[in-house]
Amino acid sequence: MTGASNDIAVTPVDRAIERLRAIYRNWSRDTTVAQMRSDWDAAFAGCSVPVTCQQVSAGGVDGEWIVPADAPRDKAVLYFHGGGFRIGSVASHRDLVARIADASGCRVLAVNYRLAPEHRFPAALDDALIAYQYLRDQGLRPADIAFAGDSAGGNLVLSVMLAARGRGLPLPAAAALMSPWTDLAANGASYESRAEADPIHQRAMILALAKNYLGKDGDPRDPLASPLYADLAGLPPLLVQVGDRETVRDDATELAAKAKAAGVETELQVWDGMIHVFQMFPEIPQAGEAIASLANFLRKHLHIGHQRAPQ
């Protein structure tokens, strides 16, 4: 039986986890935030599908149009990237956004909102609101705009809609959330129940990111910082995707339950064996399935008729 221990199959999820750990291993207490951001962007650089990318100033917020062939000009998805409000950018998420754009047949505006600790809450929210206003200033109707985001970006998707609702502004047609970070107080039971299953995100790390975003005196239960604590009534249809291995699993499942209770049309998808924002990793077959489902949701609510063949 020599070598039997090497016969254990390495799954695509295992390879994705190793990609993440390889990044984190290079970081220490002395690693600067700028270096972390550069490393993260480099680790996820590239674009695996044919799209056109065009930089734009969205009302003063740096952004990029990511456009598949034959995308309608009167529809748009506004995308907010993840990264704990500390790292992440259009560059790190370009491939994910491009795959969503390609699958949905809709152009996507991804934005580089300001990050903490240089720019704490509500700077990111302010930038996201400006980007939404920019799309409307371009002549797009709210009914022809959808929001999408992952992790901290999923938080922003919800927070922007809540802030817009509070200002009496019209809301987008729908919103898609991947592993949304909705509770900066990190009170979900999954922080314990999934602690061993989650290879990356533990509660102490999540709380540190929350403090980095909010500042030492910030309130993690502010509904615009932690949408789980908000009144969700009146929000448009939501699609919520999350991996079952995530410590932040309950941020998604509890958000979905609360949205449904508030009368919001909500679809929750819990993906067995999947890690945080598994959609980032094209080598994971379920990532393609999840993006296809997300694209169907966007097409339905934006009334984009033609079916796109998956790449």
Side-chain angles (χ1 to χ4, degrees):
M1 296 296 290
T2 302
S5 61
N6 294 326
D7 293 340
I8 300 173
V10 178
T11 69
V13 173
D14 293 331
R15 287 193 286 271
I17 290 169
E18 182 50 38
R19 281 181 64 186
L20 292 169
R21 287 177 170 163
I23 305 168
Y24 289 123
R25 273 197 298 268
N26 287 328
W27 295 349
S28 70
R29 291 182 180 274
D30 297 325
T31 305
T32 65
V33 174
Q35 185 62 53
M36 290 179 181
R37 291 171 184 164
S38 177
D39 290 348
W40 197 255
D41 288 354
F44 293 98
C47 189
S48 60
V49 292
V51 292
T52 300
C53 300
Q54 180 180 5
Q55 291 185 322
V56 65
S57 174
V61 178
D62 175 53
E64 184 170 299
W65 278 111
I66 297 176
V67 185
D70 302 322
R73 296 291 300 172
D74 60 346
K75 315 278 185 181
V77 175
L78 180 57
Y79 193 91
F80 305 118
H81 68 78
F85 297 111
R86 182 177 173 89
I87 61 174
S89 69
V90 172
S92 64
H93 282 66
R94 186 177 288 115
D95 184 59
L96 173 59
V97 174
R99 284 183 281 127
I100 292 171
D102 183 67
S104 65
C106 188
R107 61 191 184 131
V108 182
L109 176 63
V111 293
N112 284 321
Y113 55 85
R114 286 172 291 171
L115 299 175
E118 303 97 315
H119 306 285
R120 301 193 194 274
F121 173 79
L125 174 57
D126 291 342
D127 287 353
L129 281 164
I130 290 169
Y132 181 39
Q133 181 65 50
Y134 169 80
L135 286 180
R136 303 203 316 281
D137 289 344
Q138 299 304 299
L140 288 170
R141 301 180 307 156
D144 293 321
I145 300 170
F147 290 173
D150 66 282
S151 194
N155 175 308
L156 276 181
V157 165
L158 295 163
S159 297
V160 172
M161 293 191 295
L162 294 167
R165 184 192 66 185
R167 299 179 186 191
L169 300 175
L171 300 184
L177 315 170
M178 292 173 282
S179 301
W181 184 24
T182 66
D183 177 14
L184 273 62
N187 285 322
S190 55
Y191 282 102
E192 293 187 9
S193 67
R194 299 297 188 273
E196 291 188 13
D198 192 318
I200 301 296
H201 299 100
Q202 298 300 310
R203 189 168 187 265
M205 173 186 176
I206 297 297
L207 290 174
L209 286 170
K211 187 174 181 180
N212 181 69
Y213 178 52
L214 297 170
K216 62 183 178 65
D217 298 322
D219 180 6
R221 291 177 176 80
D222 182 330
L224 291 181
S226 291
L228 186 62
Y229 299 99
D231 172 10
L232 303 175
L235 293 188
L238 303 178
L239 171 64
V240 184
Q241 297 181 336
V242 69
D244 191 52
R245 288 180 64 172
E246 301 189 46
T247 54
V248 293
R249 176 187 185 276
D250 286 5
D251 281 48
T253 59
E254 291 181 15
L255 182 280
K258 188 167 183 178
K260 287 180 182 178
V264 178
E265 179 186 332
T266 306
E267 179 182 356
L268 172 66
Q269 299 177 354
V270 180
W271 291 77
D272 289 344
M274 292 298 106
I275 58 174
H276 190 64
V277 197
F278 63 95
Q279 298 90 338
M280 288 273 293
F281 302 92
E283 64 266 33
I284 299 176
Q286 292 89 337
E289 296 172 23
I291 288 174
S293 179
L294 189 150
N296 285 336
F297 172 83
L298 293 174
R299 277 198 303 270
K300 172 186 174 183
H301 291 287
L302 291 176
H303 305 289
I304 299 174
H306 59 286
Q307 189 76 18
R308 307 280 289 193
Q311 292 292 313

